[in-house]
Structures are given as C-alpha cells and as structure tokens.
Amino acid sequence: MLLAHLRAASIASSMGASSATSSSTREIPEWSEERTESHRAQPKFVRAMGVDREWWLRYVNHNLLRRNIDLRRLIIAVIVFLVLSMVVFEVTHHELYRIAPFQSVSLGTENSEVPGQCTTWPVDKDGQYTPSHAHENSTIRLESFAPKGGWKKPVGIKIVALVFYGRKRTVDFLDCYLQQNLASNGGYLDEIRFMVHTNKEEDLEYLKDLVSRREEDYRVVESGPCEGTNFGCIWDSVVEENTIYVKIDDDIVFIHPDAIPQLVHTRIATPHPFGVSANLVNSPLTGYEHFHVGAIHAFRPDPSKEPSHLAAESWRPSENKLFPSSSLPKLNISNLKSIDLDAEIFPDRPYYGHPFLLLADDPFDLMKTPMGLNYLRGGDEGVESMYDGAWKSWAIASQQQYSLLKNLEDNAISRYFFGSPLEFPPSKNISAVASKLAAQAKGGPGAEQLYNTQYKRYNLNFVALWGHDIKAALPIAEDDEEDITVTIPKRTHRPFVIDTRSVVGHHGFYPQHDGVRETDLLDRWRAFANEKICTPQNLKRPFDKRCPGF
C-alpha cells in the first residue's frame, strides 16, 4: 500500500514538473526557501514520524524513486545489518562472560578474585597473617650431595645472580633462597642483580623496597630499551671477565641448597659447553626424563567443586586425602579414544586454591594422570605433540610441582638425577682463566651427571654462563632462549648441557599461568620456604585475601 502511494505521488509530481536535469541538485516543484528553512528547523524525530506528508512524499520522490533505488535491496541490506549487529553483540557478550572471572572489577578494594591473588592460608578479613610455627621441630631434612668437607666457593672469580624480574609474588620467597646462597651468608653468590622487565607499579614498588633493605648485596638494573618480549638486550651489560652469571627467572619457586654450588662447579669443570642449565622441575624436556626415572607421581586435580579442607599453612602432600578412585577416567590403554584426552590433559579448574591429590600407590595409575595421558597421546601423535602438551598444560605443570613436594617430603631429591659424565674436546672459545680453573678442578665436584640437549631447545629459567662467552656472542637475539640453547651452540660447536644434580622448581610457562595460579601451589611453596629456607626474621606472608570457601 505504501509503495503504491509513493508511486502515485511520483507520477503526479512528474506531470507538473519542468524538465529535470541530471544534476542531483535540481529543483523540486514548489520547493521554496521558506519550506527549506522550516524543514531544517524541524527536529529529526518529528520528520521521521511523518509530519508534513506533502514534503515527505516529494522528498521520497526526489531522493528514492527518481534515483532508481532498489527498495528490495535496501530492505535486504537493513536486515543484514541488523543480523550482523546481533552476532557482534552475542560474541562480545559471551567473550565478556568467559573472561569475567579473570577481570579485576573496582569495588573500592585492592584485592579481587584474580588468579594468583587469593590465598588458602588463614588470613583475617584484612589479609593479615602471623606465620605458623607448627613445624618448627620438623624432622624433614633436605638430602645433600655436597663433597666431603662441604661446599667451598671457588676463588679468583666473581659469581653474580641475574634475576629476570617482573613479579613480586614469587620473588618474595625467592628472596629467602637468594639470601641462603649469598657469599656473605656462606654461599656462592657475590651479588644479586634484578634485571627489570616490567612496568607494573605494584611490582616495581615491591622491588624498590626489597632492594632498599638489602643494599649491600642487591641492586636493580633498569630495563632501558628492553621492552615487551625482547629479552636479548638484557644480556648486553653482563660481559665481565672472570665472572660466572647465574640467570634465574623470577618464577623459580624452589632451589635445592646444592643447586647453585653444583651448577658453578660444573660450569668450571666443563668450560667447553656454551651454557650449563639446572635440572628444571616443570619443563617439557626434563619433565619426561623425570617421568621415566620415577620422580613423577600420580597426582590429579581435586575433583570437588569447592574446598573440603580448612585454610592452613601447609606444603606436605601427605596431609591431603587421596584422590577418589570413583572419579578416575575409565581408560582402555589400547584405545585412547575411550576417553577425552584433551579434557584430561587440559582439565577445567575446579575452584580457587584447589590442591592436587595423590592416587593409590599403583604404578599404572600414573597413566591416568595428565602427564601419563599426554605421554600416551605422544606415542600416537609424536614426541613433539607430547612436548607441546607439557609446555601448555597447567595440569602437567602442577603435577610436576606436587611430585617435587612429595619427593622433598620423602627426602628423595636423588630421584631427579639422571645423565652421566660427559667428555668434551679442548675448546678454542674459552678464556685463560676458565682453562686454568678447569685444570685445577679435576677430581673435584661438578659434572658428575650431565645431559647433552644435542642442540634441542631447552628452557632458560636457570642457567650458568661465563661473562666472556656472552660478550663474544653479542648481540643476543630477542628470543634469547633459542639463541643461547640452540643457535649459538650450533654456531660455536659448543653444546648446551643440563646438570641433573642441580634441582630447581619452576612455577609455570606463559600458557600455564592462569591454571597454575588457581591451585594452592604458590601457598605451598611459600610454606616450604618458611619452614626450611627463610630465617625467622624473614618469614613470608601472603599478599592477598583468603580464597572463597576456605
């Protein structure tokens, strides 16, 4: 009906009109200046509601019908626009809903439910807590493999720790390990340098305060041009002669008392390898070596949907209940399609602050865990898929760390020792000091159980390098891990090796962060440090309020 009226109006208008030009600015009959001003003065919503019908019909005739606009196409375009708008709204809505639990909503409080920012410790409503003394008389000790007479710091060289810094929550108790290893406290580290790689004010303020209380041994190296993912330029300043640098990531959560002395002596005893790494717990490569030598245990995430235990300062896995067998997947090892492997390797996170629970002591149970199932899938899809899963899965990262906690509780750090003595040719790329120290080190500690990565990329979370070697290799690429563990060793024919007696724990790789932070592991590592590493004057407390349900 409306279309018919419009066409009729068009015909009537055409009959009384003078010859029209093709110009888009041609006059419309009876289009007066007075009417134009009246048109301009009318609110848009009044014109749209159909007031001044005569003008509306003339306008339609001029701007629509005489321009041969296809109304059907116009209607289709409007419908398409509306549909696309609805799709965009739905996608945005679901995306916001998906990330909502991870967003910090300002409610006038500094603390919010963000992964890694709540605690399972019994803090009060203001987040305050006095560390427990329940395990002051603990009989648990850390097994040591120091040489007879103990560790003795080498003379004639400087040993500097480089802490690549960005996060305060792990560095807070890493501070206890650094203090334990300072030369001024009987350790090996002459100096601690924090290589800043963050612009987060909260973390920078924490570091400023920490260093101000440790001025004799700690200092800050500003990031300068090193921003974003560029780590290569951080190495530009660490080129001193007669110096061993021990690079430590800020999310190292455990350092065995033997680890740094062992690593330094191996660095001296074997000058030929370009770099010597510690034995990382939570690494794809060493993780599956640990899997084969009995250092990994059958832990799975708590299947409950809410906490079933009280808030406590605890690190011992034995204090948790066992994983209920009724919640285990029904696995047919001959048919991996019998279960959803992705759902087991990358499981949903049950609740903030959840633990991992140990299965009954059946060796086959290991195959029902994230690491075991990822290993089985690797048998079908290839070893690279296995390593990729171990790098991405928060559950595999957590299982390795809970296994380390159990091994510490069992006083069995030697479960991680694999590898063997390796012989290397005389190197043309070492300094006279390094050669002299290597000759003096013969028959001494270091290099007892090494693993050659054979130019395969390894994680650069904890590694010892000579300053003169770094200087000769500059500039280091932005991807310093690839450069130091693969590219430079290939170019110089100097391998990258792992000292398997130097055991350290690593919290998580980037894809694992959110999941690992939602476990209680950070609390457990802090509790372990308080009991076994920190001095009574340096006990650590949570930064955050209590997790919901505890």
Side-chain angles (χ1 to χ4, degrees):
M1 180 68 75
L2 176 60
L3 189 58
H5 282 302
L6 292 175
R7 286 176 176 166
S10 174
I11 294 171
S13 177
S14 299
M15 292 176 63
S18 59
S19 298
T21 67
S22 60
S23 169
S24 62
T25 58
R26 66 189 176 190
E27 292 185 355
I28 298 178
E30 301 180 20
W31 190 279
S32 65
E33 190 65 22
E34 180 181 351
R35 181 170 295 280
T36 301
E37 290 301 319
S38 172
H39 159 72
R40 290 172 180 164
Q42 290 182 28
K44 291 183 179 180
F45 74 89
V46 174
R47 297 198 305 272
M49 291 299 292
V51 177
D52 198 344
R53 178 173 179 275
E54 181 181 353
W55 172 85
W56 172 247
L57 292 175
R58 293 174 188 273
Y59 178 83
V60 171
N61 170 62
H62 174 63
N63 290 284
L64 296 180
L65 299 180
R66 290 194 178 186
R67 292 186 185 183
N68 298 318
I69 289 181
D70 188 334
L71 292 180
R72 185 171 60 181
R73 290 184 179 179
L74 179 62
I75 292 169
I76 291 173
V78 170
I79 293 173
V80 169
F81 173 79
L82 291 174
V83 170
L84 287 174
S85 299
M86 293 175 66
V87 170
V88 170
F89 171 79
E90 285 298 313
V91 170
T92 305
H93 168 75
H94 284 295
E95 180 67 7
L96 288 174
Y97 178 80
R98 181 182 68 83
I99 66 175
F102 307 100
Q103 298 302 308
S104 176
V105 181
S106 178
L107 297 175
T109 176
E110 183 180 343
N111 296 286
S112 55
E113 292 182 19
V114 178
Q117 294 190 1
C118 69
T119 181
T120 60
W121 286 19
V123 298
D124 63 22
K125 60 184 178 61
D126 297 319
Q128 300 301 310
Y129 178 64
T130 301
S132 167
H133 299 284
H135 298 293
E136 276 187 343
N137 299 317
S138 169
T139 58
I140 290 179
R141 64 185 182 88
L142 297 180
E143 185 178 20
S144 174
F145 290 84
K148 188 176 180 179
W151 296 108
K152 295 180 181 178
K153 184 179 184 296
V155 296
I157 59 169
K158 187 176 181 181
I159 303 169
V160 178
L162 308 174
V163 180
F164 279 36
Y165 176 80
R167 293 161 286 194
K168 71 176 185 180
R169 280 175 172 77
T170 45
V171 167
D172 188 49
F173 57 85
L174 176 60
D175 169 57
C176 293
Y177 292 97
L178 297 175
Q179 288 288 305
Q180 183 185 63
N181 282 280
L182 278 172
S184 56
N185 293 329
Y188 276 42
L189 301 177
D190 295 298
E191 182 184 339
I192 315 290
R193 297 181 194 173
F194 289 90
M195 319 298 283
V196 175
H197 204 266
T198 183
N199 56 12
K200 190 174 180 181
E201 195 62 33
E202 175 189 6
D203 294 309
L204 292 173
E205 284 298 318
Y206 167 83
L207 181 61
K208 180 180 178 182
D209 177 68
L210 177 67
V211 172
S212 71
R213 292 182 279 115
R214 314 265 195 267
E215 288 182 341
E216 290 187 6
D217 303 301
Y218 290 9
R219 73 182 183 91
V220 174
V221 179
E222 299 293 345
S223 59
C226 295
E227 298 289 344
T229 58
N230 182 0
F231 289 91
C233 53
I234 293 181
W235 296 94
D236 291 350
S237 65
V238 293
V239 293
E240 297 159 89
E241 295 290 331
N242 308 330
T243 301
I244 292 177
Y245 294 100
V246 181
K247 187 262 191 181
I248 304 172
D249 271 2
D250 64 354
D251 63 342
I252 292 296
V253 291
F254 168 77
I255 303 173
H256 191 277
D258 286 348
I260 290 177
Q262 177 71 31
L263 195 65
V264 168
H265 284 288
T266 296
R267 175 69 286 185
I268 291 171
T270 56
H272 179 65
F274 183 77
V276 181
S277 173
N279 186 356
L280 289 172
V281 174
N282 186 23
S283 165
L285 183 61
T286 45
Y288 275 101
E289 295 295 332
H290 303 157
F291 182 84
H292 284 288
V293 297
I296 301 299
H297 303 288
F299 283 97
R300 288 178 56 92
D302 182 2
S304 305
K305 297 302 179 185
E306 58 185 17
S308 58
H309 56 284
L310 299 175
E313 181 184 341
S314 171
W315 64 268
R316 293 164 172 77
S318 65
E319 294 176 357
N320 291 336
K321 63 183 180 181
L322 291 177
F323 189 94
S325 58
S326 59
S327 297
L328 284 172
K330 307 242 183 264
L331 172 64
N332 178 355
I333 198 169
S334 300
N335 178 19
L336 295 182
K337 294 182 180 179
S338 61
I339 61 172
D340 185 349
L341 286 176
D342 272 346
E344 296 294 327
I345 298 169
F346 304 95
D348 294 334
R349 283 104 71 177
Y351 56 88
Y352 287 118
H354 67 89
F356 269 48
L357 305 178
L358 186 66
L359 278 64
D361 195 18
D362 182 337
F364 184 72
D365 282 342
L366 192 57
M367 293 301 160
K368 300 175 184 177
T369 66
M371 280 197 82
L373 293 166
N374 188 55
Y375 176 76
L376 292 174
R377 183 170 69 173
D380 282 356
E381 299 181 9
V383 69
E384 290 302 325
S385 73
M386 182 181 76
Y387 288 145
D388 186 63
W391 180 67
K392 293 177 179 177
S393 169
W394 70 270
I396 290 177
S398 301
Q399 183 182 349
Q400 291 181 75
Q401 292 179 69
Y402 268 90
S403 295
L404 176 55
L405 288 167
K406 175 173 168 51
N407 291 330
L408 291 172
E409 188 175 5
D410 294 345
N411 192 24
I413 199 67
S414 59
R415 288 172 179 165
Y416 290 98
F417 299 173
F418 61 95
S420 59
L422 299 177
E423 292 186 6
F424 300 104
S427 177
K428 299 178 182 178
N429 298 307
I430 58 176
S431 71
V433 170
S435 298
K436 180 180 178 181
L437 286 171
Q440 294 172 348
K442 287 190 179 298
E448 296 89 352
Q449 290 179 276
L450 301 182
Y451 180 89
N452 190 336
T453 61
Q454 298 293 0
Y455 309 102
K456 185 178 182 66
R457 180 170 179 149
Y458 188 59
N459 310 115
L460 206 63
N461 302 94
F462 205 109
V463 59
L465 299 160
W466 279 105
H468 62 264
D469 282 337
I470 298 171
K471 184 177 182 179
L474 291 178
I476 303 296
E478 287 189 17
D479 185 354
D480 59 341
E481 185 174 280
E482 177 75 14
D483 214 27
I484 290 173
T485 66
V486 179
T487 307
I488 296 171
K490 282 183 176 179
R491 184 172 71 237
T492 61
H493 300 176
R494 300 173 64 194
F496 187 90
V497 301
I498 300 167
D499 185 334
T500 69
R501 288 194 176 192
S502 176
V503 180
V504 301
H506 172 229
H507 199 230
F509 298 106
Y510 175 75
Q512 303 169 338
H513 281 175
D514 285 351
V516 174
R517 287 171 183 165
E518 289 185 28
T519 71
D520 63 357
L521 276 167
L522 201 65
D523 286 331
R524 288 183 182 273
W525 286 121
R526 187 190 311 108
F528 178 87
N530 272 357
E531 181 179 326
K532 306 303 298 183
I533 308 297
C534 303
T535 64
Q537 298 75 31
N538 195 30
L539 297 180
K540 305 301 182 178
R541 298 168 174 81
F543 287 96
D544 310 296
K545 293 186 177 180
R546 200 182 300 190
C547 294
F550 282 91

